[in-house]
Amino acid sequence: MSNIDKSKLPSHIAIIMDGNGRWAKNKGKARVFGHKNGVESVRQVTEGAAELGIQHLTLYAFSTENWNRPKAEVTALMTLLVTTISKETKTLNKNNIRLHAIGNLDNLPNLAKKELLSSIEKTSNNTGLNLILALSYSSKWEITQAMKTIANKVKNGELNPEEINEGTIQSNLCTAQFPDPELLIRTSGEHRISNFLLWQIAYSELYFTPTLWPDFRKADLEEAILSYQQRERRFGKTSEQLETPTNA
Ligand code: IPE
Ligand code: IPE
Ligand code: MG
């Protein structure tokens, strides 16, 4: 932690929390055991991010594609969501953390949606870390929604197609109010994006670790941030331009 440069922190970290099932299997347990243990990692990482002063943390908790898992696993995940949110809301408030959610929340079971919206409401005055849960989320779904909204504005004469720019698209995504993540972490050794924040990670630094999600701790988050801080973000420019801004 002492090695982290506090003046060069990413303002937004996004995490694909993967490997719960394999973690459980390695221990001879059912997949749900892995999901339950993954909750402790969520707690640790959220606390770690808040302590460091990170402003936004997005956690990929359930994808659109995850609806295709066995029904019992989906039900267990939704139950875990409800119990965790209702248990943790007090702690979120104590730590000044504001909860948000992105995704097709209408697809969530009623109780899960209700608990989620209630916690979002109860934490809405907090000014510290913004914790954004991606639930029933997929990037292609999100972009499709944005396209429909924009098309309707054009149809109603509120928007001229000539005026459509990157900002128009950005402002119609679920993440409109958040900056793009500077750092994207994926656990469990998989090297893929799995339909997560495709637009928003256009220039993110990617960090892959073999650590399975239920083993991921504050120290692992710090290691990812250290790796991020050692990179040169060039945004298409040359190294020399970054060293001497007069070359810009
Ligand atoms: C991530 O762990 C949690 C969710 C996708 C909900 P997995 O359940 O995908 O675990 P593996 O990839 O099967 O090990
Ligand atoms: C991605 O993990 C979704 C979440 C972490 C919620 P998956 O385990 O579902 O991803 P794939 O399908 O193996 O790529
Ligand atoms: Mg997985």
Side-chain angles (χ1 to χ4, degrees), residues 227-244:
S227 163
Y228 163 82
Q229 291 189 331
Q230 279 148 22
R231 302 181 191 188
E232 182 177 63
R233 306 192 74 207
R234 290 192 283 277
F235 296 102
K237 293 186 179 178
T238 67
S239 232
E240 291 70 22
Q241 281 176 300
L242 299 174
E243 280 158 22
T244 28

Side-chain angles (χ1 to χ4, degrees), residues 109-219:
N110 283 340
L111 188 59
K113 191 180 168 192
K114 201 174 135 233
E115 283 294 338
L116 181 67
L117 294 182
S118 153
S119 183
I120 288 173
E121 168 61 29
K122 285 181 188 151
T123 62
S124 61
N125 290 323
N126 295 339
T127 55
L129 174 72
N130 289 288
L131 174 63
I132 304 146
L133 292 184
L135 283 166
S136 188
Y137 173 88
S138 80
S139 193
K140 287 190 175 179
W141 165 81
E142 177 188 40
I143 293 171
T144 306
Q145 287 300 114
M147 293 309 137
K148 278 188 198 160
T149 309
I150 294 168
N152 271 313
K153 284 180 188 162
V154 170
K155 186 178 150 201
N156 298 337
E158 296 161 40
L159 183 65
N160 178 346
E162 300 303 316
E163 290 165 4
I164 296 174
N165 55 31
E166 290 183 10
T168 319
I169 296 168
Q170 192 274 338
S171 65
N172 283 288
L173 298 174
C174 309
T175 52
Q177 58 173 314
F178 311 121
D180 287 344
E182 292 95 332
L183 173 61
L184 172 72
I185 298 171
R186 183 170 188 146
T187 60
S188 89
E190 305 295 356
H191 297 104
R192 56 177 174 261
I193 302 300
S194 304
N195 215 349
F196 191 43
L197 303 177
L198 298 177
W199 174 277
Q200 298 88 336
I201 61 167
Y203 250 111
S204 302
E205 295 297 330
L206 309 181
Y207 180 87
F208 298 101
T209 170
T211 303
L212 302 173
W213 180 249
D215 288 328
F216 199 89
R217 289 293 174 265
K218 280 183 199 179

Side-chain angles (χ1 to χ4, degrees), residues 5-20:
D5 180 349
K6 290 274 198 144
S7 70
K8 273 173 56 185
L9 285 174
S11 69
H12 186 172
I13 299 176
I15 308 183
I16 303 173
M17 310 184 287
D18 197 14
N20 295 353

